[in-house]
Amino acid sequence: MSTAQIATSAYAVCNPATGAVEEEFDQTSDAEIADALARTHTAFTSWRRSRVEDRTTMLRRVADLYEERRDSLAAVVTREMGKPITQAQMEIDLVTSIYRFYAEKAPEFLRDEELDVVAGGTAVIRKEAVGPLLGIMPWNFPYYQVARFAAPNLVLGNTVLLKPAPQCPESALAMEQIFADAGLPAGAYINIFASNDQVADIIADPRIQGVSLTGSERAGAAVAEIAGRNLKKVVLELGGSDPFLVLGPVDLERAVKDAAAGRFFNAGQACNAAKRIIVTEEHYDAFVEKFTAQVRAIEPGDPADPQTVMGPLSSPQAVENLAAQVEDAVAQGATILAGGKRIERDGAWYTPTVLTGVTEGMRAYSEELFGPAAVIYMVADEDAAIALANDTDYGLSAVVECDDEERAQRIADRLDTGMVYINEPSGTAAELPFGGVKRSGFGRELGKYGMDEFVNKKLVRVKR
């Protein structure tokens, strides 16, 4: 993996609200990587044979520790990537629910599946762990992204090497400590501050049996290429340019509220955010007026303040990327109805933005806008809405706002996405499988399907 494929930066806490570098961390050495590989492989040989009851007990203790440390853990990510403190606390609550979900459901999910055998005798599918796994995680939901990968795989009996985002080292170490305090055997979960070249070597190591990455399309392609050369399975959760469709009959007040929440939560830095809002002509003017007024009312503020609903972006580079996309659209004729500019203060700040008049050829039409910028399109009818929604290389999730349930279900069936939410913002929950199609990646996390990715579905046949 080269720096041309995935940008490299030092592991450090750089507070995006102030621009101050608060703490720096040493990169994991090659010798430490070699030791981590040996330890996680050794841990797997015993962890895979442990009782399911012991593994679920460990997950329950992990959940308890997240609950006990909720406020301090939330404060860490507020410093690391600028998430408003109340939203950071919500992330901890979600993480707690994920560990509790798999602690409760693992025995059911791991139960032998009996098959109908035509030739007589019996046959079952037995789910077994496959080995040490590498997780490559992003910065936007540092705890949640790890939980949805680590929880099902650890309770299954796999072990984990975890490479966090370079800007989230403190939260990464806090998670490693939680697993240790919960009684997970040494070596079963190891945090590594690895470089891209080290990651490539880890993927190629024969002891590693799979890789899960949440991140950009470019990073996913780089990891998948290395994994493919080494015959390793990958799960990829990549970018999204998710459509948010508004069609009659519809409660317009609800649709506006859902669109604003779905677009600007976490400063719009979510793969499944409502990035392209598609409204039929009959509702367009009223929706735009109400939505723009709601966006203008959003005041970016101190993320440590419980009253703040939107903080800074994650980094100055994130501001530069979004500003370049917006400026490109405006230069080619798009209209800014709200925001559209940097906030001149230390840190990484950008105004909540609404764009209309975006057309093919503009970067904002085809690229993912990873920040607080919404694009609104007007379409003539249902067919046009679906055609525009599907006119993207991405296919993560979609929202349909429509009070005619039969029509909403019909539209859902025609959308090329991995998830569809009707009359609510696209979201997540421990029991709901998460993942996409097309260039949004492949594989699923969460729910029972989250335990079906890195597993040996072993056939055991007995003839009588």
Side-chain angles (χ1 to χ4, degrees), residues 2-336:
S2 70
T3 54
Q5 293 167 308
I6 306 175
T8 302
S9 60
Y11 286 86
V13 177
C14 182
N15 191 328
T18 64
V21 177
E22 298 190 356
E23 190 171 3
E24 296 181 275
F25 296 79
D26 292 334
Q27 180 181 306
T28 305
S29 69
D30 289 345
E32 290 168 329
I33 294 289
D35 178 65
L37 283 164
R39 287 192 291 126
T40 196
H41 179 69
T42 298
F44 172 67
T45 60
S46 57
W47 184 241
R48 69 183 301 188
R49 301 300 180 195
S50 61
R51 299 186 312 151
V52 174
E53 294 78 10
D54 293 336
R55 301 199 293 268
T56 58
T57 296
M58 182 276 300
L59 281 198
R60 288 190 183 91
R61 181 59 181 149
V62 168
D64 290 343
L65 291 171
Y66 270 98
E67 199 168 65
E68 292 169 14
R69 302 173 188 180
R70 177 179 186 260
D71 290 345
S72 61
L73 291 170
V76 168
V77 295
T78 295
R79 289 194 304 274
E80 287 181 328
M81 51 75 59
K83 192 188 298 286
I85 189 65
T86 54
Q87 295 178 22
Q89 291 166 340
M90 290 168 62
E91 182 177 346
I92 302 302
D93 295 340
L94 175 59
V95 166
T96 300
S97 73
I98 291 170
Y99 285 110
R100 293 204 193 286
F101 173 81
Y102 282 109
E104 177 186 349
K105 293 291 187 179
E108 173 189 337
F109 294 159
L110 293 175
R111 192 176 299 137
D112 286 354
E113 177 186 350
E114 295 186 8
L115 305 178
D116 291 330
V117 182
V118 175
T122 65
V124 300
I125 295 296
R126 185 159 296 150
K127 295 182 179 180
E128 297 182 349
V130 294
L133 307 173
L134 172 64
I136 303 171
M137 296 294 129
W139 48 262
N140 56 338
F141 292 91
Y143 300 116
Y144 159 70
Q145 306 283 4
V146 172
R148 68 187 197 184
F149 164 63
N153 284 300
L154 288 173
V155 81
L156 177 62
N158 294 319
T159 55
V160 169
L161 289 182
L162 200 290
K163 180 207 172 295
Q167 71 192 82
C168 294
E170 190 178 351
S171 57
L173 292 174
M175 286 184 282
E176 186 178 43
Q177 187 63 54
I178 282 176
F179 282 115
D181 293 346
L184 185 66
Y189 181 101
I190 303 175
N191 181 77
I192 50 172
F193 293 150
S195 70
N196 292 335
D197 289 338
Q198 288 172 323
V199 166
D201 291 339
I202 292 168
I203 296 172
D205 190 283
R207 289 166 291 192
I208 294 296
Q209 297 301 305
V211 186
S212 179
L213 176 139
T214 298
S216 69
E217 179 185 345
R218 183 175 61 175
V223 165
E225 180 182 355
I226 300 166
R229 286 200 305 267
N230 292 279
L231 300 178
K232 305 293 176 70
K233 180 173 182 177
V234 293
V235 167
L236 301 178
E237 198 272 280
L238 308 178
S241 188
D242 290 10
F244 185 103
L245 284 67
V246 182
L247 304 98
V250 64
D251 180 339
L252 210 56
E253 297 292 341
R254 183 199 66 228
V256 168
K257 181 180 178 181
D258 288 351
R263 173 66 278 201
F264 294 100
F265 185 84
N266 201 35
Q269 299 168 122
C271 51
N272 62 335
K275 300 185 176 81
R276 297 180 297 136
I277 303 172
I278 302 168
V279 188
T280 52
E281 188 173 0
E282 60 181 322
H283 299 296
Y284 181 80
D285 289 341
F287 180 91
V288 168
E289 180 182 357
K290 293 176 183 293
F291 180 77
T292 302
Q294 189 154 335
V295 173
R296 286 175 178 157
I298 299 173
E299 290 285 346
D302 179 3
D305 184 344
Q307 301 303 313
T308 296
V309 297
M310 194 186 109
L313 273 70
S314 62
S315 67
Q317 186 59 54
V319 173
E320 291 299 318
N321 293 343
L322 183 64
Q325 292 169 313
V326 172
E327 290 162 11
D328 171 80
V330 172
Q332 297 188 63
T335 299
I336 294 177

Side-chain angles (χ1 to χ4, degrees), residues 403-423:
D403 292 334
D404 180 338
E405 184 174 343
E406 182 178 341
R407 185 184 195 192
Q409 291 284 359
R410 181 176 70 241
I411 293 167
D413 289 344
R414 298 176 63 190
L415 294 172
D416 299 334
T417 60
M419 303 173 285
V420 179
Y421 286 77
I422 296 175
N423 295 334

Side-chain angles (χ1 to χ4, degrees), residues 357-423:
V358 171
T359 59
E360 290 185 70
M362 299 178 186
R363 292 179 59 189
Y365 185 89
S366 57
E367 295 180 6
E368 178 179 24
L369 301 181
F370 212 71
V375 179
I376 309 179
Y377 297 90
M378 181 174 68
V379 293
D381 53 27
E382 176 182 315
D383 287 341
I386 293 167
L388 180 56
N390 289 336
D391 188 22
T392 173
D393 291 336
Y394 297 106
L396 188 56
S397 73
V399 171
V400 179
E401 293 278 350
C402 177
D403 292 334
D404 180 338
E405 184 174 343
E406 182 178 341
R407 185 184 195 192
Q409 291 284 359
R410 181 176 70 241
I411 293 167
D413 289 344
R414 298 176 63 190
L415 294 172
D416 299 334
T417 60
M419 303 173 285
V420 179
Y421 286 77
I422 296 175
N423 295 334

